[in-house]
Amino acid sequence: MIDRVVERLGPDPLEKRLHAEFAHLRKVCNAPHARLRTEDVLVPVSRARRITWRTVTHLAGHSETWAARRLHGVEPAKLLTPVQVPDHDLYENRVIATLVDRLWKHLLSRIAEVDSIEGMVGQARVLLREIGQRHDHREKERLYRFVADLLEKDDLPQRIEELRKDLTSLRDALAPLLTSELRTAVRGPYTGSPQLRPTNLWDNDIDYRHCRELWEAEVKSHHAASSEPDDAIAQWCGDFAQYVLLLTLRALNQLGLKGEPAPDRRGFQYLKMGHVVALNSNTDDTITLQVDGRPVLRLVPLPHALTAGSDEAGMIRALDTLMTADPTAVAVVYPGETPERTALPRSLRLRVHTSSGMGKRPAMVPVSPSDLGSISRMARMLRNAIDSHILLSYPLKVRCRVPQAESLARRFRWIRWDAGQLVVTDLVPQQDLEELQIELNNLRTRTDTARRHGDNRKELEALRTDLFHAIHAIANLAYCPICHHKAAERAFTSRDGSTYRCSCQCGTVWETRRCVSCSRSYAVLTAPGSAEQVGGDGDRLDMVFSQDLLAAPCWTRPTSYICPSCGCCPEARSEEKCRTCDRCDIFPSPRDL
């Protein structure tokens, strides 16, 4: 999950080249070529060997160089004499001095990169402490396994130690060259073209020739690292989209869904409680989630660190631009860290981390490779989209074109008649299935030749197919969303308002409730061990409930849940509860959340 960590810890071509050419580089830095140049130097008379017209001019204008004035003229103490001095400030030496500086910066940045990777891996102890604070034992087991895979699969500590030792040895060997004769003799860095022009030293001196090859390797490495800004941004956007797809696939696997490639090879298919769940990756980097062919969620990767800045007003404007009129639920996945959200005011924190959308506002899901809760956060958001769609299909309605079918509602307790439709409201006992076949056969009418009326065979077969499909769908609602085992028949209870409740032997309870404010139904999931836990902001939901949650619990009463459609909590009608609830203090009107 760490960005290309194995690749970043691998051998770098420039470092391999530096190992091969270092002896030549050191030799050139310690004994560089030089050209003699004439320089006028003020020396005592005893050391002067030559004089020129500049000597006479300088002596006439500088009386401080006189020893005495005689009758016949001036007796000099010092003379400006031309001497031959070595000059190391050559074209080739400037290139090599600049090369030494660039290699030094490269090694320092590489060592810092290794330190950062080691810091990420070294967070294991911190991560282990965070895992120990989780309430759900299933979440603890998943996270412990994840950390173990992270630290042991690629043998990261050994790779880090070996690379650090190699980089440190190169840095220690290169350090003396920063004060070498060549590095201190040149008067400035090389600022010309990366493509070196041919010279006698480059072509005929073996040490300089190898230094030129090292320069070319450095230029190639530098060019690859500093690509065009537009290319870098495009690559970052594509990488983040792939990261979100990876998180989505792993989250679905963590929910217990076993996938296989779709027939068109453009996505994956899963089976959930008798329903076909399809995951499709679109050309615009978005991801579409479908249940039985119907889109239920669109994932939009947003490669922008929304919470990284300190401009709260700009953050609010950015959130407002994400408003959507798409009838399909939308989830925006963006890079974000927990400390960034902790520093925000609570009113803003509730907007940047949500598991489900509300009205025109999309769900906001922050993710990060260093945040262990990213996968479980994605899993909770996907469960909210998939399981809520499946659970809210209750009750199952069957359109009926056979007028006599109303008698089925009087015959069986698990069917009721509603405005020309048969509504299946409960699990069907096995013995009722056989009686249902008999009752359906009794609804068959024969052809009346005299009146030229046909029989109802086609309508009856369509009713039989639709009715048994609804019975099968109701039976699938009895499968536990967490342990995936089927609950007992008596554990399924049909309730007023077209809602139901079901429980599993593992302690999980799933049900549908009707909102007291908007009258819409919403799904509720209570996992074992979390029934007495109150809700909170997104980070608290991550810590306490992990992925096993649909509607969020009230912040003061764990048995009440907040409607995902309008944001209304049943406790909002109680003034006493509202006074003690931070959420109600921030959002006096839940519909505006």
Side-chain angles (χ1 to χ4, degrees):
M1 302 296 293
I2 300 177
D3 183 25
R4 295 188 293 271
V5 62
V6 178
E7 177 184 343
R8 291 160 63 190
L9 292 176
D12 186 276
L14 178 58
E15 294 157 16
K16 294 174 63 176
R17 193 71 185 214
L18 180 57
H19 275 292
E21 311 292 359
F22 184 77
H24 300 282
L25 178 64
R26 179 171 54 190
K27 186 176 180 181
V28 169
C29 289
N30 293 331
H33 272 271
R35 291 190 178 93
L36 294 177
R37 61 181 175 85
T38 302
E39 183 176 322
D40 292 329
V41 180
L42 192 64
V43 298
V45 175
S46 60
R47 293 177 54 188
R49 295 294 179 266
R50 295 175 54 198
I51 62 173
T52 64
W53 63 270
R54 291 186 182 89
T55 306
V56 178
T57 303
H58 183 271
L59 183 64
H62 294 80
S63 59
E64 69 274 8
T65 62
W66 298 351
R69 294 184 63 180
R70 306 297 181 186
L71 293 175
H72 59 275
V74 175
E75 181 179 339
K78 295 180 180 180
L79 293 175
L80 190 68
T81 304
V83 295
Q84 299 292 324
V85 296
D87 183 12
H88 296 92
D89 193 25
L90 309 180
Y91 164 72
E92 295 86 353
N93 291 343
R94 283 197 177 195
V95 171
I96 295 176
T98 304
L99 174 63
V100 171
D101 291 342
R102 291 186 180 181
L103 291 175
W104 179 257
K105 293 179 181 179
H106 170 81
L107 292 176
L108 293 183
S109 64
R110 282 283 285 164
I111 292 175
E113 182 181 18
V114 173
D115 291 339
S116 67
I117 295 176
E118 185 182 35
M120 297 180 70
V121 177
Q123 287 180 348
R125 296 175 181 175
V126 179
L127 299 180
L128 291 175
R129 286 197 298 269
E130 290 183 6
I131 296 172
Q133 297 174 0
R134 304 276 174 164
H135 291 76
D136 188 5
H137 69 90
R138 294 179 298 274
E139 177 69 0
K140 288 183 179 180
E141 182 181 356
R142 286 192 294 265
L143 294 178
Y144 281 134
R145 189 181 302 112
F146 172 76
V147 173
D149 292 342
L150 173 66
L151 297 180
E152 297 179 3
K153 182 176 181 180
D154 296 312
D155 198 13
L156 296 183
Q158 182 179 353
R159 289 172 178 261
I160 292 173
E161 185 61 29
E162 291 177 355
L163 181 58
R164 175 182 281 107
K165 183 183 296 185
D166 181 67
L167 293 174
T168 304
S169 64
L170 284 175
R171 182 197 61 187
D172 295 342
L174 192 66
L177 302 188
L178 297 175
T179 57
S180 63
E181 183 178 359
L182 180 145
R183 177 65 180 76
T184 56
V186 297
R187 291 188 287 271
Y190 172 72
T191 58
S193 172
Q195 186 69 30
L196 301 180
R197 66 175 184 266
T199 64
N200 289 333
L201 281 179
W202 292 140
D203 296 336
N204 300 322
D205 190 286
I206 185 172
D207 296 319
Y208 276 84
R209 185 165 64 247
H210 282 278
C211 289
R212 180 184 63 184
E213 295 174 357
L214 183 58
W215 167 271
E216 294 173 351
E218 195 281 332
V219 169
K220 183 178 179 181
S221 175
H222 181 75
H223 179 74
S226 58
S227 57
E228 294 296 328
D230 293 341
D231 295 340
I233 293 175
Q235 181 179 358
W236 157 245
C237 294
D239 289 346
F240 184 74
Q242 292 295 320
Y243 174 64
V244 172
L245 178 60
L246 170 64
L247 283 180
T248 305
L249 293 173
R250 180 147 186 169
L252 289 173
N253 181 265
Q254 190 166 293
L255 288 174
L257 278 66
K258 304 300 181 182
E260 59 182 13
D264 56 1
R265 298 292 178 178
R266 296 182 58 186
F268 294 87
Q269 283 188 351
Y270 304 85
L271 194 63
K272 173 74 171 179
M273 299 172 68
H275 298 265
V276 177
V277 178
L279 181 71
N280 297 318
S281 180
N282 305 318
T283 56
D284 58 354
D285 289 339
T286 60
I287 302 170
T288 304
L289 196 66
Q290 298 179 339
V291 178
D292 295 332
R294 179 181 176 183
V296 297
L297 181 66
R298 185 165 64 92
L299 291 170
V300 181
L302 178 65
H304 171 60
L306 186 64
T307 58
S310 58
D311 183 10
E312 297 179 5
M315 207 175 301
I316 294 175
R317 289 193 300 269
L319 290 170
D320 291 339
T321 59
L322 297 175
M323 303 285 281
T324 177
D326 195 333
T328 304
V330 177
V332 176
V333 186
Y334 69 95
E337 301 288 349
T338 302
E340 299 171 356
R341 298 190 296 275
T342 306
L344 296 175
R346 176 162 288 182
S347 58
L348 190 54
R349 198 187 315 165
L350 293 177
R351 291 190 60 183
V352 299
H353 185 186
T354 59
S355 297
S356 61
M358 190 174 299
K360 295 182 179 181
R361 293 180 180 176
M364 301 298 297
V365 186
V367 296
S368 170
S370 60
D371 186 355
L372 281 180
S374 297
I375 298 178
S376 297
R377 191 176 303 133
M378 289 284 292
R380 185 170 76 250
M381 183 264 300
L382 295 173
R383 182 191 292 280
N384 207 300
I386 299 172
D387 289 9
S388 293
H389 176 80
I390 295 175
L391 299 183
L392 292 177
S393 63
Y394 178 91
L396 276 299
K397 298 181 180 181
V398 179
R399 184 179 179 184
C400 182
R401 296 182 178 179
V402 181
Q404 300 86 346
E406 185 177 358
S407 62
L408 297 177
R410 296 190 295 269
R411 174 66 182 81
F412 301 104
R413 63 171 181 80
W414 43 268
I415 298 181
R416 61 182 174 88
W417 181 261
D418 183 14
Q421 290 181 326
L422 290 175
V423 183
V424 181
T425 60
D426 209 338
L427 298 181
V428 181
Q430 186 63 33
Q431 59 272 18
D432 284 2
L433 292 178
E434 299 177 359
E435 296 184 15
L436 178 63
Q437 292 281 14
I438 298 174
E439 292 294 334
L440 289 173
N441 292 333
N442 292 337
L443 298 179
R444 175 78 178 272
T445 59
R446 304 297 178 183
T447 303
D448 188 342
T449 306
R451 297 181 180 181
R452 297 181 180 179
H453 288 171
D455 62 8
N456 61 353
R457 180 175 57 86
K458 293 183 179 180
E459 292 80 359
L460 194 59
E461 287 300 322
L463 174 62
R464 188 193 308 273
T465 301
D466 295 342
L467 190 56
F468 274 90
H469 176 76
I471 292 172
H472 180 69
I474 285 287
N476 288 330
L477 293 179
Y479 283 92
C480 177
I482 294 181
C483 71
H484 308 292
H485 290 94
K486 188 173 183 179
E489 181 179 330
R490 63 180 180 275
F492 191 97
T493 304
S494 176
R495 301 186 298 192
D496 295 337
S498 297
T499 62
Y500 73 96
R501 182 181 188 274
C502 192
S503 59
C504 179
Q505 294 179 353
C506 70
T508 304
V509 177
W510 60 102
E511 58 185 316
T512 57
R513 299 185 181 184
R514 191 168 293 276
C515 179
V516 297
S517 178
C518 66
S519 300
R520 295 182 180 179
S521 296
Y522 60 92
V524 172
L525 176 65
T526 306
S530 61
E532 301 301 324
Q533 297 291 336
V534 296
D537 57 23
D539 290 311
R540 171 171 172 79
L541 298 182
D542 293 340
M543 182 66 66
V544 177
F545 300 95
S546 183
Q547 64 187 27
D548 299 327
L549 188 69
L550 293 177
C554 171
W555 289 26
T556 59
R557 188 177 180 183
T559 56
S560 297
Y561 288 83
I562 301 170
C563 174
S565 299
C566 67
C568 180
C569 171
E571 301 302 321
R573 294 179 176 270
S574 171
E575 295 183 0
E576 181 180 355
K577 293 290 184 181
C578 273
R579 293 194 192 101
T580 61
C581 179
D582 293 339
R583 180 180 178 274
C584 293
D585 289 341
I586 298 172
F587 301 104
S589 176
R591 293 178 182 274
D592 296 334
L593 181 63

